[in-house]
Amino acid sequence: MPYHAPVPDYRFILEHVVGFDRLRATERFAESTADVTDAILEEAARLANEVLAPLQRAGDQHPAVLENGVVRTTPGFAEAYRAIAAGGWVGMSAGPAHGGMDLPQSLTTAVNEMMSGACLAIQIAPLMTQGQIEALEHHASDEIKALYLPKLITGEWCGTMNLTEPQAGSDVGALRTRAEPKGDGTYAITGQKIYISWGDNDFTENVCHLVLARLPDGPPGTKGISLFMVPKRIPDADGTPGPANSLRVVSLEHKMGLHGSPTAVMEYDGATGWLVGAPHKGMAAMFTMMNNARLGVGVQGIGVAEAACQHALAYARDRRQGPSPLEDGTGTILDHADVRRMLAEMKAQTFAARAIAFDNAVAIDMAHATGDAAWQARAAFLTPISKAYGTETGIDVASTGVQVHGGMGYIEETGAAQYLRDVRVTAIYEGTNGIQAMDLVGRKLSDGGAAAFALLAEIGQTAARAEEELPDLAAFLASAEATLTATTSWLLEQGEINDRFAGAVPYLRAFALVLGGHYHLRAALAEGGQGPRTALARLFIRRMLPAHDALCAAVREGAAGLYALSDEDLVA
């Protein structure tokens, strides 16, 4: 389906909204000039528009299949993946020691978004590998780094993440996969893992599985979990894939969407693995990969939102239905106020989610470049918001896109429904959005709210800057910031963590909306207070931001009301 990467929007947000210029002031990213950034974005856009987007429907209509133990991928996917690898896009933010380009995560975020919008099913493969690269860079031995990282960075090999088991979903500590020492520095890995994205393919030399398992002396729960590298084919010292390891794809899941992306049930039967990191410290290593993936998954949702916006707008500009309410209208449904509302809100929400993700990425880059704990705290606080709001935006916008199409949206031939089916899982994997929200009000507020209040103070400063030029929008944002600040203080005062958890989801969404108003207002100021970005900011701040007030009220209700109905009452 037609897709055009929104490069002008990426450029505007990076330069005028989230402060990408600060990266150029650091020694590490001094070479990320405007010319370099533009060249990267334009080249990635060509890949997304011309190579990946034509495969969007093919992945849905000709899904990956398992034949005689071999995964056969969608026609065209192999060539597309090789194009991604050949362009250096897999390892663009990896360190230079093993062949990476060491580019800012901010640019990788933009590239990942445009690839997700073009064809999410194929984009998942390089995203998983990027997360594995980061985990190995931080936790693996020098020997494992030297053997695996060059191949992963070039895309010759790809990586996966193996956490979930039939009885161990969010409760990872309940896993049963075992790791037995073999006496030669390797381990025999035995167990079954489910929901493994791109668990196998027919276009890379090797598939490298990072597998959570428990050593014989591992204590119960997450404190006893270790992480292992378990390759599909065991490489020799030169990195040449050798004999097949003792693992296999049992089956591929029959999914609601993302049919082109094989989601595997994996079985390990004494497979040879190598320890990554220290014994019993696997969760720390895996969370390095997961935090990378959480931002990446949020960006997947934003990419699909952008594609759904474009798809719906194209339909609305062509569809004629009923008399136009405008004297000089086009005669299409785009003239109708409710259709115009849906499309405008889709665009405004997508902008807000994109700006949150880019701000998150810039914070990650600044933390890497400076080592400043404040940047690290900002990045950590924004990560669950990026993941949850980004994916909810994908779902909301894709669903509204179906509505714009009317009855035709429910017909598969138009392709509108595929965006909704494909993006729906993003709110579930890499930690459900409820877990992201609980992390936000739990671990991320454990600093006494320092990171939250720093962001809120910045939002207040934006409102103050806009008082003369855009007073009505400034007042709306200032009021929202005050309400959210008071709600944050209320959460910190609660002695029962369950009272925080009960309001976690509305709190995260309220924070995202207020952040969205902040970025929209900054965009309007950068534009001079007049123009399309100002009009979009006015729509978001005056029409969509007010929902934060009801959300904050729900946060302050605590947990008691959730338990007023018994289990039997819920059934009845």
Side-chain angles (χ1 to χ4, degrees):
M1 290 184 283
Y3 168 81
H4 300 284
V7 171
D9 214 38
Y10 300 150
R11 188 182 294 117
F12 183 89
I13 292 174
L14 289 171
E15 299 294 341
H16 300 293
V17 178
V18 299
F20 184 80
D21 59 302
R22 289 174 291 189
L23 296 184
R24 300 186 184 118
T26 68
E27 182 179 354
R28 178 165 179 175
F29 297 120
E31 296 182 1
S32 296
T33 62
D35 288 345
V36 170
T37 298
D38 284 348
I40 289 169
L41 294 177
E42 292 292 347
E43 189 60 31
R46 276 192 288 273
L47 172 71
N49 298 345
E50 299 171 12
V51 179
L52 305 186
L55 297 172
Q56 167 76 354
R57 291 296 282 160
D60 195 55
Q61 295 171 341
H62 305 284
V65 295
L66 183 64
E67 294 180 350
N68 300 320
V70 177
V71 171
R72 307 292 185 193
T73 58
T74 298
F77 272 34
E79 292 78 8
Y81 179 84
R82 293 185 187 115
I84 294 169
W89 304 114
V90 178
M92 60 184 292
S93 287
H98 297 97
M101 289 192 266
D102 202 29
L103 289 167
Q105 185 65 37
S106 310
L107 295 183
T108 297
T109 296
V111 172
N112 282 342
E113 193 214 292
M114 63 178 84
M115 288 199 294
S116 299
C119 182
L120 180 55
I122 188 69
Q123 189 272 339
I124 295 171
L127 180 68
M128 291 291 97
T129 302
Q130 288 169 358
Q132 187 171 114
I133 289 168
E134 186 170 10
L136 295 181
E137 285 181 332
H138 283 83
H139 301 283
S141 65
D142 290 341
E143 292 78 12
I144 288 179
K145 289 179 184 177
L147 184 59
Y148 286 88
L149 283 176
K151 299 287 190 179
L152 291 166
I153 287 170
T154 62
E156 295 172 75
W157 298 355
C158 67
T160 75
M161 177 168 55
N162 286 237
L163 291 79
T164 306
E165 299 181 9
Q167 79 295 334
S170 301
D171 182 13
V172 180
L175 65 78
R176 296 171 184 163
T177 300
R178 308 186 310 277
E180 301 282 347
K182 297 171 69 173
D184 60 357
T186 67
Y187 298 80
I189 311 299
T190 302
Q192 187 179 92
K193 299 289 184 177
I194 62 173
Y195 304 151
I196 310 306
S197 297
W198 282 99
D200 197 15
N201 67 72
D202 54 3
F203 49 71
T204 59
E205 291 182 346
N206 213 350
V207 182
C208 308
H209 303 285
L210 280 183
V211 182
L212 290 178
R214 198 181 307 278
L215 291 164
D217 61 344
T222 56
K223 294 182 179 180
I225 294 175
S226 301
L227 183 64
F228 300 87
M229 170 61 76
V230 189
K232 175 183 176 180
R233 306 191 75 86
I234 300 174
D236 62 19
D238 296 325
T240 302
N245 211 341
S246 299
L247 57 88
R248 69 187 183 97
V249 177
V250 176
S251 62
L252 298 182
E253 302 290 359
H254 299 282
K255 300 178 297 183
M256 176 180 177
L258 286 177
H259 297 147
S261 172
T263 300
V265 176
M266 300 294 303
E267 184 174 82
Y268 298 88
D269 186 12
T272 300
W274 286 261
L275 185 67
V276 175
H280 319 314
K281 301 296 182 181
M283 288 303 294
M286 186 58 83
F287 265 109
T288 299
M289 183 173 185
M290 286 188 70
N291 282 331
N292 177 295
R294 284 172 172 170
L295 173 57
V297 170
V299 166
Q300 288 178 340
I302 300 163
V304 174
E306 174 65 38
C309 280
Q310 294 184 18
H311 197 69
L313 177 59
Y315 181 82
R317 296 173 86 170
D318 184 65
R319 174 65 167 165
R320 294 179 178 273
Q321 186 74 17
S324 173
L326 305 177
E327 287 187 10
D328 57 348
T330 64
T332 68
I333 62 171
L334 193 56
D335 292 346
H336 297 287
D338 189 56
V339 174
R340 188 63 67 107
R341 174 194 62 81
M342 288 189 283
L343 290 165
E345 290 183 355
M346 290 164 72
K347 186 175 181 65
Q349 186 175 351
T350 301
F351 178 93
R354 179 178 290 139
I356 291 171
F358 279 16
D359 197 355
N360 194 167
V362 167
I364 291 171
D365 288 330
M366 289 299 294
H368 288 164
T370 67
D372 189 333
W375 283 114
Q376 294 170 355
R378 182 188 184 96
F381 190 86
L382 286 172
T383 294
I385 300 176
S386 295
K387 194 275 181 182
Y389 189 65
T391 58
E392 287 171 5
T393 293
I395 294 166
D396 292 347
V397 169
S399 180
T400 304
V402 172
Q403 192 72 18
V404 170
H405 283 74
M408 291 303 294
Y410 204 65
I411 304 301
E412 286 290 350
E413 283 77 4
T414 64
Q418 184 187 339
Y419 293 118
L420 181 56
R421 289 188 288 101
D422 284 355
V423 78
R424 184 60 185 84
V425 73
T426 60
I428 298 171
Y429 61 27
E430 307 311 336
T432 66
N433 286 358
I435 287 175
Q436 303 304 315
M438 291 166 69
D439 175 54
L440 184 67
V441 302
R443 187 179 293 109
K444 298 307 190 294
L445 288 181
S446 64
D447 61 354
F453 289 132
L455 273 168
L456 288 163
E458 187 177 308
I459 293 166
Q461 291 164 9
T462 296
R465 279 180 52 211
E467 283 180 353
E468 287 190 19
E469 196 166 352
L470 296 164
D472 62 324
L473 302 188
F476 266 82
L477 184 63
S479 175
E481 180 268 316
T483 302
L484 187 58
T485 296
T487 302
T488 303
S489 296
W490 183 90
L491 283 169
L492 290 167
E493 293 166 0
Q494 302 314 300
E496 294 291 334
I497 192 65
N498 217 30
D499 284 323
R500 289 196 195 183
F501 288 164
V505 167
Y507 178 73
L508 185 150
R509 189 166 183 89
F511 217 117
L513 286 175
V514 178
L515 281 170
H518 162 64
Y519 300 125
H520 269 290
L521 189 52
R522 293 193 66 168
L525 290 170
E527 189 182 52
Q530 292 183 340
R533 295 189 183 278
T534 301
L536 196 67
R538 177 161 280 108
L539 181 139
F540 185 91
I541 292 171
R542 295 185 66 91
R543 285 176 174 265
M544 302 174 74
L545 178 58
H548 84 281
D549 202 30
L551 291 165
C552 285
V555 173
R556 296 190 297 270
E557 280 296 298
L562 299 180
Y563 297 91
L565 291 171
S566 67
D567 296 355
E568 291 74 17
D569 292 333
L570 292 173
V571 172

